[in-house]
Amino acid sequence: MQSPTQFPLLFFSFFMFFSLSLSDPRITEAGLFCGTVNAARSNFISEFVAVMESLSEQVNRAGWGTHVNGSVYGLAQCLSDLSHTDCLFCFAQARTKLPHCLPAIAARIFLDGCFLRYDNYSFFTEPLDPQHDTAVCGQQAVEGEPDRSQLAKNVRTIVKNVTEIAVKDGGFGVGEIGNVYGLAQCWKTIENVGCRKCLENASREVVECLPENEGKRLSAGCYLRYSTEKFYDDVEKDIGNLDGEATEDVRVFSGRPRIGIIAAISSSVAIVALLSILGVFIGYGGLSKRRKARKRLGQLSVVVGRSNLHFKYELLEKATNFFDPLRKLGQGGAGSVYKGILPDGRIVAVKRLFFNTRQWVDEFFNEVNLISGVHHENLVQLLGCSIEGPESLLVYEYVPNKSLDHFLFKKKKTQSLSWQQRFDVIVGTAKGLAYLHDGTGTRIIHRDIKTSNILLDENLRAKIADFGLARCFSADQTHLSTGIAGTLGYMAPEYLVRGQLTEKADVYSFGVLVLEIVCGRKNSVYVEESSSILQMVWKHYQSNTLPESVDEYLKDHFPAKEASNVLQIGLLCTQASVSLRPSMSEVVKMLTETDYPIPLPMQPPFLNASSADTNATSISASFPSSESQATSNVLLTPASEPR
């Protein structure tokens, strides 16, 4: 058996072999341009994710697309000679590389087969961008004056010819003259006048690459390339004169691609996953980091290879009706979840991931490797995954009643939970966490317990979901010092400030969750301190008026003593001192055993916007929660911890 570190290299060799026998998706990077201004808005990342998701769907359907979400404008397009498979391959690679520019508010990437751009304004009809348009020249000059003169003549002729073809025939044209090949492509959003303006400008600029054997012009509205080697796929020929200048030695082609059957398509699609995975450690400096990524990927490949976990991408694509928006169940910071129906009739939830970065590797590995063997009635079961397509997919059991926040915080509640239903959700969540902490043979910390990660089944039974941030450690470890990840408002103070992670961080999050469930309102760290649910419940506790904290939807239809006990448990779990918080096993006993003592809580911490700002310099990235503007998923790095 090959070592895990050899796995990506072996498959990369496999890709190189296949590139000789299949059409070329042209994923070589021609240019990547990142903006110099970073986003200041908290919801920028969520808007970016929504744009990338829509572009993915449109490219899969039509080979190009545009989308606007908030202040993020996006455009993606494959060159018209690429097959559908190669187009998806190229777009997957572009989407893997472009997020390296985040949190810049603008970026664009030119691969030899496709283009992807996002910006903070509507750029769709701009043919030129003098600040960023550039030429990329080859590295091998043609030698000898006769050969150079002939090359220059042929290059000028071919770029003029393909420009005319593209302008007259839908924005795309290819052709050859002698030993020189040319391709012109305008983006679909550019009108005919703009297409001509862009390509004529590109024609003047690209010839400056002479006497190099290749030249590319990367423009805001078009792409133009010449080369002494054929680089494009064959399309239907339309041989003839252009304005009377073409001769019998000039072969020019129409812009309508020929539709063909691509052999070994499943193998080609499998390679898409490889390139996405290879993109994980492209751009991360340092040999040790790359070795760590290769090792993690090798381990992941072993897990995915198990027959009971592996799903074919095509099967899941069909199961979700090609990720039909009507099948979408929800969206988070890293991807969207769709309802799928498998050929055997089983209904599943398919999570579609979008970021192929080191963070993605860690989260995907956790979901598949750490949680695949964990089974409990209060945990969402992971059924399998796929890494064979443009996106990596996770397959879960289908939980029909969505997440808890839909029942608690939506303005138009379809169903209000009774006291007993809320109590059962609290107990079920507690049991699920207790199992993670004590029942698996290793301590697993979820790190992102919140209402949107608690799903409800057909019987409104609680199921903990989303284990992408989970961590485990052995019994002899007191804590982990780790980069901080989670959702503000639910994060324990010792973890948020010092990066010290224990299972008591989950206990704190659970305590906040309990108060939200009982009170029917969301905790917030972005408003004045008086709005903190912790402070509100604490004041009622001091005044011996805890029942007044209960959600007004319940009115008087709840047992006051039991509600007070549950709120007191919530305060116990959110105490500032880690040692004073109970374990989840103790919490389960407090909730289910009438004679089990419930200690008196000490004052919990009150984290608000001002206290969160004191650590703002530690924040390395911010990922807003799609469920509410009141909380944000964050990734923070303690200053003492290298990454």
Side-chain angles (χ1 to χ4, degrees):
M1 178 179 295
Q2 301 294 336
S3 66
T5 56
Q6 292 174 307
F7 172 76
L9 297 179
L10 288 175
F11 271 82
F12 186 75
S13 300
F14 176 74
F15 160 70
M16 294 300 291
F17 168 79
F18 255 86
S19 67
L20 300 176
S21 57
L22 296 179
S23 52
D24 181 7
R26 301 205 297 275
I27 59 173
T28 300
E29 181 181 312
L32 172 63
F33 308 96
C34 300
T36 57
V37 178
N38 289 342
R41 297 176 298 103
S42 61
N43 59 341
F44 171 77
I45 295 294
S46 63
E47 292 174 355
F48 173 85
V49 169
V51 169
M52 290 299 111
E53 178 187 18
S54 177
L55 292 181
S56 177
E57 294 173 351
Q58 294 179 66
V59 169
N60 185 42
R61 182 171 62 250
W64 77 284
T66 64
H67 190 71
V68 180
N69 188 289
S71 62
V72 179
Y73 296 74
L75 165 67
Q77 183 171 333
C78 292
L79 302 194
S80 296
D81 64 309
L82 287 190
S83 69
H84 178 69
T85 300
D86 289 342
C87 175
L88 294 181
F89 199 168
C90 189
F91 177 72
Q93 182 72 350
R95 198 186 56 211
T96 297
K97 291 187 173 184
L98 197 66
H100 293 174
C101 291
L102 294 173
I105 61 174
R108 67 189 74 179
I109 184 170
F110 293 82
L111 301 184
D112 284 341
C114 58
F115 172 72
L116 178 60
R117 177 183 177 184
Y118 74 90
D119 217 313
N120 67 337
Y121 72 97
S122 180
F123 58 85
F124 300 136
T125 59
E126 290 183 355
L128 301 174
D129 182 355
Q131 183 178 356
H132 297 100
D133 291 354
T134 186
V136 178
C137 303
Q139 301 298 316
Q140 183 178 348
V142 174
E143 298 181 356
E145 183 56 35
D147 290 338
R148 286 189 175 190
S149 297
Q150 186 62 47
L151 173 66
K153 179 181 178 181
N154 289 346
V155 166
R156 287 185 171 89
T157 301
I158 200 64
V159 297
K160 181 178 181 180
N161 287 344
V162 295
T163 292
E164 290 298 326
I165 299 168
V167 171
K168 293 180 178 179
D169 198 11
F172 174 74
V174 294
E176 66 176 275
I177 177 171
N179 64 338
V180 179
Y181 303 84
L183 178 149
Q185 175 81 67
C186 290
W187 312 137
K188 296 285 188 180
T189 55
I190 304 296
E191 295 182 352
N192 198 59
V193 173
C195 179
R196 177 178 291 277
K197 181 178 180 180
C198 185
L199 288 175
E200 288 182 347
N201 177 274
S203 298
R204 291 191 297 268
E205 298 294 334
V206 78
V207 296
E208 296 297 323
C209 287
L210 292 169
E212 302 295 339
N213 65 336
E214 181 173 79
K216 307 170 187 176
R217 179 66 178 177
L218 315 179
S219 301
C222 64
Y223 173 86
L224 181 65
R225 179 182 179 185
Y226 79 83
S227 177
T228 56
E229 295 183 3
K230 185 177 179 182
F231 57 87
Y232 51 78
D233 292 344
D234 286 335
V235 293
E236 292 180 357
K237 300 176 184 178
D238 184 12
I239 302 176
N241 290 343
L242 292 173
D243 299 328
E245 296 184 11
T247 70
E248 61 181 0
D249 296 323
V250 181
R251 300 173 61 200
V252 294
F253 306 121
S254 159
R256 295 180 295 276
R258 182 183 64 210
I259 300 175
I261 299 175
I262 306 300
I265 188 171
S266 60
S267 298
S268 178
V269 172
I271 298 169
V272 175
L274 172 67
L275 261 292
S276 297
I277 291 174
L278 287 176
V280 171
F281 41 84
I282 292 176
Y284 289 101
L287 181 59
S288 61
K289 290 182 180 180
R290 291 195 295 270
R291 285 176 175 173
K292 181 179 180 180
R294 291 190 185 105
K295 181 178 180 181
R296 180 61 60 96
L297 288 167
Q299 294 170 333
L300 179 60
S301 70
V302 173
V303 177
V304 174
R306 299 173 185 169
S307 59
N308 63 327
L309 287 175
H310 178 68
F311 282 84
K312 289 187 176 296
Y313 181 84
E314 295 90 338
L315 184 147
L316 297 178
E317 191 178 39
K318 293 178 181 178
T320 58
N321 194 24
F322 299 91
F323 302 104
D324 186 342
L326 297 177
R327 295 278 190 94
K328 184 186 287 189
L329 300 174
Q331 179 170 318
S336 299
V337 181
Y338 295 81
K339 180 179 179 180
I341 303 176
L342 299 179
D344 60 7
R346 281 186 297 165
I347 300 177
V348 296
V350 180
K351 184 176 181 180
R352 193 183 190 194
L353 302 177
F354 294 105
F355 288 108
N356 292 328
T357 62
R358 194 180 76 177
Q359 174 197 343
W360 169 87
V361 176
D362 288 340
E363 294 189 17
F364 195 90
F365 183 85
N366 280 337
E367 291 271 8
V368 177
N369 189 51
L370 187 61
I371 307 302
S372 60
V374 174
H375 302 285
H376 188 273
E377 65 177 359
N378 296 115
L379 304 178
V380 172
Q381 184 179 356
L382 177 69
L383 302 177
C385 65
S386 170
I387 56 172
E388 290 184 347
E391 300 86 22
S392 298
L393 307 176
L394 293 165
V395 185
Y396 302 94
E397 65 171 310
Y398 175 67
V399 183
N401 277 319
K402 297 187 177 181
S403 55
L404 180 59
D405 58 324
H406 284 80
F407 292 84
L408 296 177
F409 307 133
K410 296 298 180 182
K411 292 182 179 179
K412 296 181 180 180
K413 299 180 181 179
T414 57
Q415 179 181 355
S416 180
L417 298 176
S418 68
W419 168 258
Q420 188 59 48
Q421 289 168 334
R422 297 181 196 223
F423 182 79
D424 290 342
V425 167
I426 291 171
V427 173
T429 305
K431 289 181 177 179
L433 280 174
Y435 177 78
L436 288 175
H437 293 175
D438 302 317
T440 64
T442 182
R443 287 183 289 172
I444 298 175
I445 304 174
H446 186 281
R447 289 208 299 174
D448 202 18
I449 294 298
K450 57 183 177 181
T451 54
S452 59
N453 282 339
I454 307 299
L455 306 186
L456 303 181
D457 68 9
E458 62 276 7
N459 298 316
L460 298 180
R461 177 173 53 188
K463 287 182 174 288
I464 301 172
D466 199 344
F467 293 87
L469 300 180
R471 291 291 182 269
C472 66
F473 56 100
S474 58
D476 59 349
Q477 289 180 287
T478 58
H479 68 274
L480 292 177
S481 294
T482 180
I484 302 169
T487 303
L488 289 176
Y490 295 90
M491 297 169 67
E494 76 283 354
Y495 180 46
L496 180 62
V497 176
R498 298 189 297 275
Q500 292 185 353
L501 179 65
T502 70
E503 65 269 28
K504 294 299 182 70
D506 278 351
V507 174
Y508 182 92
S509 302
F510 173 80
V512 176
L513 180 77
V514 167
L515 301 185
E516 290 183 332
I517 293 173
V518 176
C519 300
R521 54 178 288 189
K522 180 172 282 294
N523 191 37
S524 176
V525 295
Y526 290 106
V527 294
E528 63 275 9
E529 186 172 301
S530 60
S531 294
S532 164
I533 193 172
L534 275 70
Q535 187 174 59
M536 186 264 295
V537 175
W538 176 253
K539 286 182 177 179
H540 280 296
Y541 172 75
Q542 288 182 310
S543 304
N544 200 27
T545 57
L546 277 176
E548 295 181 14
S549 303
V550 176
D551 190 349
E552 62 181 12
Y553 275 90
L554 295 178
K555 297 181 179 179
D556 295 325
H557 303 299
F558 64 91
K561 176 60 176 174
E562 187 174 58
S564 297
N565 287 343
V566 173
L567 288 169
Q568 185 171 326
I569 292 170
L571 291 174
L572 279 172
C573 293
T574 56
Q575 293 178 107
S577 173
V578 176
S579 61
L580 292 179
R581 294 176 212 154
S583 67
M584 288 310 305
S585 297
E586 291 173 324
V587 169
V588 172
K589 293 179 180 178
M590 293 179 196
L591 290 168
T592 58
E593 299 179 13
T594 56
D595 57 346
Y596 197 89
I598 302 176
L600 300 178
M602 303 291 287
Q603 180 171 313
F606 301 133
L607 295 178
N608 54 29
S610 60
S611 62
D613 287 344
T614 62
N615 298 293
T617 56
S618 298
I619 297 178
S620 59
S622 178
F623 294 85
S625 169
S626 62
E627 293 79 20
S628 172
Q629 294 181 353
T631 60
S632 292
N633 289 342
V634 296
L635 297 175
L636 303 96
T637 305
S640 60
E641 183 192 359
R643 291 196 66 159

